[in-house]
Amino acid sequence: MYEGFTIWSFLLGMPLGLAIAGIIWYINWKVGKKQRRFDERYKNIHRQARSYSWVATTIAILIGWMAVMLMEGPGIAFFIFTAIWVIHMTSYIVGATIANNQH
């Protein structure tokens, strides 16, 4: 299953990839700030997109959870999906609480 995979290439490549992505993100952010790309309209669009994405993720987790229960029963996959569901809903509660306290 892990033929040809070396942990050393992963351990060297992962930080390098993260560093390159961070540099690209920083340059994009600086250019976008100079061009005033991140205005209120931008923030509203992305807030709504995150909301749609959260609903889609909730539905996907529920479908996956049901599929695992029907195919495998309460095995390790069920408990992994349960942990993902708990983290997902806890992050929503924390986010809603923070947003409510700010307004």
Side-chain angles (χ1 to χ4, degrees), residues 10-30:
F10 173 75
L11 291 175
L12 292 174
M14 183 63 133
L16 181 63
L18 289 173
I20 291 171
I23 291 168
I24 291 171
W25 175 83
Y26 180 74
I27 292 170
N28 186 32
W29 179 70
K30 289 296 265 183

Side-chain angles (χ1 to χ4, degrees), residues 53-65:
S53 174
W54 191 88
V55 170
T57 304
T58 302
I59 293 168
I61 290 171
L62 287 174
I63 291 170
W65 203 7

